Amino acid sequence: MLIREELEKREFLFLSEYAVKASESKGRLMPEEKCTVRTDFQRDRDRIVHSKAFRRLMHKTQVFLAPEDDHFRTRLTHTIEVSQIARTIARGAALNEDLAEAIAMGHDLGHTPFGHSGETILNEIYPGGFKHNVQSLRVVDVLESSASLRRGMNLTYEVRDGILNHTGNVTPKTLEGQVVKISDRIAYINHDIDDAIRSGVITSKDLPEESIKVLGDTHKKRIDTLVKDMIENTAGSSRASLSEEKAEAMDELRTYMFKNVYHSENVKKAEDMDKVRIIITSLYDYFLEHPEKLPKDGPAEEEGNTAELVKDHIAGMTDRYAINLYNELFVAKGWR
């Protein structure tokens, strides 16, 4: 018997009636022969993890620009934390853990260099506007390819929906996608608190007192509280959610973080933001004027929309690649 078929049968035995079963997926954009070992959602996860876009997340900013401390989160470590939280919740609520993991691993593939600051700038200068969740879907649908796939990763409908709707006002169609959406918030609020305390921007005593009473006074306690609350309120339900009390406490923490960290001048220093703006706008203008300098190995090249190709190229850059390329193109070098 095929291993995949056995795994698909187990899903009907052990997963909730509200979980998405791999054998009942709405399928891929292009039909493919099934893997004999892995379910479709496991296969999607593997395609994402083995992609170049996933590896580049290691050198993309989460909150603190180009941190010298090795223990600050990057976009990659954030992604892994989201995945672990989502998998634990999915397992506890008898949902499809493989689907949740695939969505989590792919949700931030479209993020720009320099975190949300880079996203804001690219949104201003690119005529079509820029949202990292939309770009993440473009990465898996168009920009990443392999020898066996001419265009994109050809992921399943459920994974693509979860990636696109992990942020914003649209609710993912699957409970697994909803779990990832909330897990993303659980992860970034709490690990950003951890990094902000480590950096000295805030102290643990500065955090909202009522939120701390409800969620816990340490990083570990807050994650534990929120994960268990998610499982309790999602298991056996047609909707993934936190309890009202825990959701309000987390929202209060999020509001505090936006005011005191994400928009703080101690973190987003004006001179650094000016430098980020100069780097991204200069590179964008350069490639618009010199489209022949764009990479020629991407499947998106056939589209012929120069502005879109430039946006794709810049969004895919790591922090250090963008900085080094800017220096190479625009900073004078001494004679050798």
Side-chain angles (χ1 to χ4, degrees), residues 46-211:
D46 293 349
R47 287 180 180 178
I48 291 168
V49 170
H50 287 284
S51 69
K52 296 187 294 294
F54 185 80
R55 295 195 292 275
R56 289 196 299 268
L57 296 177
M58 176 171 55
H59 296 294
K60 291 194 177 191
T61 289
Q62 173 62 23
V63 173
F64 295 88
L65 292 176
E68 295 183 2
D69 188 319
D70 291 338
H71 297 138
F72 283 107
R73 270 74 171 188
T74 65
R75 190 62 58 180
L76 178 60
T77 56
H78 160 72
T79 295
I80 294 171
E81 291 187 37
V82 174
S83 176
Q84 294 305 106
I85 291 171
R87 285 180 58 187
T88 301
I89 294 169
R91 187 184 305 122
L95 300 177
N96 195 313
E97 192 176 336
D98 296 325
L99 173 55
E101 183 179 25
I103 295 169
M105 287 299 191
H107 83 282
D108 269 355
L109 291 179
H111 244 298
T112 61
F114 312 115
H116 286 286
S117 299
E119 179 177 16
T120 298
I121 295 164
L122 202 50
N123 182 57
E124 292 172 1
I125 62 178
Y126 175 61
F130 183 91
K131 292 183 178 180
H132 76 270
N133 57 314
V134 176
Q135 187 68 13
S136 293
L137 185 63
R138 180 167 168 78
V139 169
V140 301
D141 279 356
V142 178
L143 302 180
E144 281 281 347
S145 61
S146 65
S148 60
L149 295 170
R150 188 182 66 85
R151 182 184 177 92
M153 299 185 197
N154 197 31
L155 304 183
T156 56
Y157 167 85
E158 293 79 9
V159 173
R160 295 173 62 251
D161 169 76
I163 289 173
L164 178 63
N165 296 312
H166 81 270
T167 187
N169 297 324
V170 179
T171 301
K173 298 294 191 298
T174 68
L175 260 68
E176 290 82 359
Q178 295 171 32
V179 164
V180 172
K181 187 166 190 168
I182 300 174
S183 297
D184 182 32
R185 184 166 291 194
I186 292 173
Y188 78 69
I189 290 173
N190 286 286
H191 67 49
D192 291 349
I193 288 174
D194 194 36
D195 283 352
I197 291 173
R198 177 178 292 107
S199 71
V201 173
I202 62 173
T203 70
S204 58
K205 295 180 180 179
D206 297 327
L207 298 172
E209 186 176 344
E210 289 303 314
S211 293

Side-chain angles (χ1 to χ4, degrees), residues 110-315:
H111 244 298
T112 61
F114 312 115
H116 286 286
S117 299
E119 179 177 16
T120 298
I121 295 164
L122 202 50
N123 182 57
E124 292 172 1
I125 62 178
Y126 175 61
F130 183 91
K131 292 183 178 180
H132 76 270
N133 57 314
V134 176
Q135 187 68 13
S136 293
L137 185 63
R138 180 167 168 78
V139 169
V140 301
D141 279 356
V142 178
L143 302 180
E144 281 281 347
S145 61
S146 65
S148 60
L149 295 170
R150 188 182 66 85
R151 182 184 177 92
M153 299 185 197
N154 197 31
L155 304 183
T156 56
Y157 167 85
E158 293 79 9
V159 173
R160 295 173 62 251
D161 169 76
I163 289 173
L164 178 63
N165 296 312
H166 81 270
T167 187
N169 297 324
V170 179
T171 301
K173 298 294 191 298
T174 68
L175 260 68
E176 290 82 359
Q178 295 171 32
V179 164
V180 172
K181 187 166 190 168
I182 300 174
S183 297
D184 182 32
R185 184 166 291 194
I186 292 173
Y188 78 69
I189 290 173
N190 286 286
H191 67 49
D192 291 349
I193 288 174
D194 194 36
D195 283 352
I197 291 173
R198 177 178 292 107
S199 71
V201 173
I202 62 173
T203 70
S204 58
K205 295 180 180 179
D206 297 327
L207 298 172
E209 186 176 344
E210 289 303 314
S211 293
I212 298 308
K213 284 182 181 179
V214 172
L215 301 178
D217 58 2
T218 67
H219 176 79
K220 179 180 178 180
K221 289 179 182 178
R222 288 189 291 272
I223 296 290
D224 186 66
T225 297
L226 289 164
V227 167
K228 288 178 178 176
D229 188 76
M230 270 290 290
I231 293 172
E232 183 179 342
N233 285 274
T234 302
S237 173
S238 60
R239 178 173 171 265
S241 67
L242 288 162
S243 66
E244 185 176 349
E245 179 190 36
K246 302 303 189 294
E248 288 178 356
M250 190 169 72
D251 285 345
E252 185 180 14
L253 271 184
R254 183 172 182 268
T255 299
Y256 169 84
M257 289 295 290
F258 268 92
K259 180 179 179 180
N260 295 280
V261 178
Y262 303 140
H263 295 162
S264 168
E265 292 184 358
N266 292 327
V267 177
K268 307 295 185 183
K269 297 178 181 178
E271 59 268 29
D272 288 339
M273 292 304 99
D274 288 343
K275 292 173 184 176
V276 169
R277 181 174 295 278
I278 290 170
I279 290 171
I280 290 181
T281 55
S282 297
L283 292 175
Y284 185 87
D285 291 341
Y286 173 82
F287 284 109
L288 273 184
E289 294 176 8
H290 303 280
E292 72 279 2
K293 300 292 186 181
L294 288 167
K296 301 297 182 183
D297 57 350
E301 185 184 0
E302 64 195 47
E303 295 180 356
N305 182 337
T306 301
E308 177 122 34
L309 298 179
V310 171
K311 177 263 296 178
D312 290 340
H313 186 42
I314 292 176

